[in-house]
Amino acid sequence: MLKKILIGFVLVVFTLTGGGLVFIWQAGAWNILFPSSAHDVSAPKVPEFDRPAVLVFSKTNSFRHTEGIAAGIPALQTMAEKNGFPIFATENGAVFNAQDLSRFRVVVFLNATGDMLSAAQETAFKNWLEAGGGWLGIHAAGDGSHAEWTWYVENLIGAEFTAHILGPQFQTATVIAEDMQHSVNSGLPASWEAEEEWYSWKASPRERGFHIISTVDESTYDPVQNIFGSSNDLRMGDHPIAWSNCVVGGRTFYTAQGHAAAAFKHPMYLLQLENALRWLSSDGLCTPWSSRP
């Protein structure tokens, strides 16, 4: 009898543990518990494009936004094809080499997380961007998993990630277009509503000279993280959610939206992303807004 009880107990523990691990995997949190530093060494075969293309990179060595990546790739493909940009999607970080990057005009980090690239790959990307490339970062491209890549955080994100709302995780809030003159906001209303897992940062990237494209109105949602019985206030006051920057000869645009599949069906968000692709691929050096008359 005791043997049967012990066997039954072991089976229950095994079932619960296995079920928990499956849930963690499906939720995209596996690499938070078991972070990876694996770097690809063999580059994928990149097609021969007849014009500069768009590279969509969605490698996740930390949390994986499975739903957002799955919906984001076809959405980006649609808008790239509409604007005559060839597009190539991969999760192979070895594509970040001088030869392959020279084929692309814009690189998109679609919810890419963690220690994704080797030092040489990071340098290749830095050189490509500073020579006139365009970078589009979506949602988790600005989370805390990139903290060790100092150049990236200082030049592309410009802010230290703190947390996202939780309890509830997704809330509808009002997005406010701060700069209606910027081409990224072309065709957008002065304000619009969206449901998102809203991010917060330690300080606004405005303080580091980044140009703010849009903000979120904190009075229209509950900017609090409720977790493990405690409540953390995530209010920033000045709360940007989309901004641009000039990095030597290159230009960058980051948007904190894009966690779930629903974001890539929102007409205002899709329009802003499409505008961003056009702006990032446009000719001429990026001129910092602070130096414009």
Side-chain angles (χ1 to χ4, degrees):
M1 175 64 79
L2 180 59
K3 182 178 180 180
K4 291 182 178 180
I5 292 174
L6 288 174
I7 292 174
F9 177 76
V10 169
L11 288 174
V12 169
V13 171
F14 179 80
T15 300
L16 291 174
T17 301
L21 292 175
V22 169
F23 173 79
I24 289 170
W25 177 268
Q26 292 179 338
W30 183 268
N31 279 341
I32 290 182
L33 296 179
F34 309 102
S36 172
S37 293
H39 299 140
D40 303 296
V41 295
S42 298
K45 182 174 178 55
V46 178
E48 292 288 343
F49 304 114
D50 59 0
R51 54 197 180 280
V54 174
L55 170 64
V56 178
F57 183 61
S58 55
K59 184 172 182 174
T60 52
N61 273 354
S62 186
F63 187 89
R64 183 171 183 83
H65 293 69
T66 305
E67 185 181 327
I69 292 172
I73 291 175
L76 289 164
Q77 288 173 331
T78 297
M79 62 184 71
E81 291 167 1
K82 174 184 173 183
N83 288 276
F85 305 136
I87 191 166
F88 178 70
T90 185
E91 299 200 354
N92 186 334
V95 73
F96 287 84
N97 62 78
Q99 179 177 349
D100 284 329
L101 285 174
S102 68
R103 305 169 190 253
F104 299 100
R105 188 61 179 272
V106 178
V107 169
V108 182
F109 277 15
L110 173 59
N111 281 315
T113 60
D115 179 11
M116 310 168 295
L117 305 176
S118 68
Q121 292 161 2
E122 290 176 354
T123 298
F125 172 65
K126 175 179 179 291
N127 293 340
W128 169 86
L129 180 64
E130 292 181 346
W135 175 81
L136 170 59
I138 295 177
H139 193 60
D143 73 10
S145 68
H146 308 281
E148 293 184 3
W149 190 0
T150 305
W151 172 85
Y152 176 88
V153 174
E154 291 181 349
N155 293 276
L156 278 63
I157 306 303
E160 180 183 342
F161 176 81
T162 53
H164 61 71
I165 56 172
L166 194 61
Q169 180 180 4
F170 296 93
Q171 298 179 41
T172 298
T174 300
V175 176
I176 300 172
E178 177 162 319
D179 182 1
M180 293 299 293
Q181 303 305 311
H182 199 296
S183 60
V184 174
N185 278 334
S186 178
L188 289 170
S191 65
W192 41 285
E193 290 190 341
E195 184 180 64
E196 186 55 74
E197 176 199 67
W198 300 106
Y199 278 5
S200 286
W201 291 266
K202 189 174 181 179
S204 168
R206 190 192 311 274
E207 298 181 8
R208 301 188 61 138
F210 283 65
H211 184 68
I212 306 306
I213 304 298
S214 55
T215 61
V216 61
D217 185 347
E218 292 182 337
S219 70
T220 60
Y221 74 108
D222 188 19
V224 173
Q225 184 186 65
N226 298 302
I227 185 170
F228 303 133
S230 64
S231 183
N232 303 316
D233 191 342
L234 302 182
R235 290 176 178 83
M236 295 177 61
D238 175 20
H239 198 143
I241 57 162
W243 53 84
S244 65
N245 192 34
C246 298
V247 183
V248 189
R251 55 186 72 191
T252 73
F253 176 76
Y254 170 75
T255 170
Q257 294 178 251
H259 177 104
F264 296 96
K265 296 179 181 179
H266 194 298
M268 299 298 99
Y269 181 60
L270 289 176
L271 178 56
Q272 191 176 63
L273 287 180
E274 185 175 348
N275 287 342
L277 282 179
R278 285 198 292 262
W279 178 69
L280 292 168
S281 63
S282 58
D283 293 328
L285 295 178
C286 182
T287 302
W289 256 251
S290 59
S291 65
R292 298 188 178 194

